[in-house]
């Protein structure tokens, strides 16, 4: 069996994975703390929408064209 200290690439891989996990946890904590401190921001502005309805009776030419 080989000596674990001579396998430098295994330690490098473990260190890389550990640093990535540490960065992810730190970023999540920072985002969570910043989200709690500032008031929630609306992602879209609320606009009133106008809806126009066109009535079509059965005798109109538009109805006979559609059907």
């Amino acid at each position: 069996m080989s000596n674990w200290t001579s396998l430098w690439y295994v330690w490098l891989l473990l260190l890389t994975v550990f640093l990535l996990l540490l960065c992810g946890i730190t970023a999540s904590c920072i985002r969570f703390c910043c989200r709690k401190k500032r008031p929630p921001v609306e992602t879209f502005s609320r606009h009133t929408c106008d809806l126009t309805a066109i009535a079509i009776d059965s005798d109109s030419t538009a109805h006979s064209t559609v059907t």
Side-chain angles (χ1 to χ4, degrees):
M1 188 169 206
S2 61
N3 191 2
W4 280 98
T5 55
S6 64
L7 299 174
W8 59 270
Y9 50 88
V10 174
W11 294 110
L12 183 65
L13 181 66
L14 288 174
L15 181 67
T16 304
V17 169
F18 176 73
L19 288 176
L20 284 173
L21 284 172
L22 189 66
C23 288
I25 291 170
T26 305
S28 296
C29 289
I30 290 172
R31 286 182 62 194
F32 180 74
C33 290
C34 290
R35 186 180 296 155
K36 272 194 140 185
K37 288 181 182 177
R38 66 178 180 204
V41 179
E42 288 187 21
T43 55
F44 58 91
S45 59
R46 296 182 180 180
H47 296 290
T48 57
C49 298
D50 293 333
L51 182 64
T52 304
I54 301 172
I56 300 176
D57 56 350
S58 60
D59 294 335
S60 70
T61 57
H63 184 265
S64 62
T65 306
V66 171
T67 58

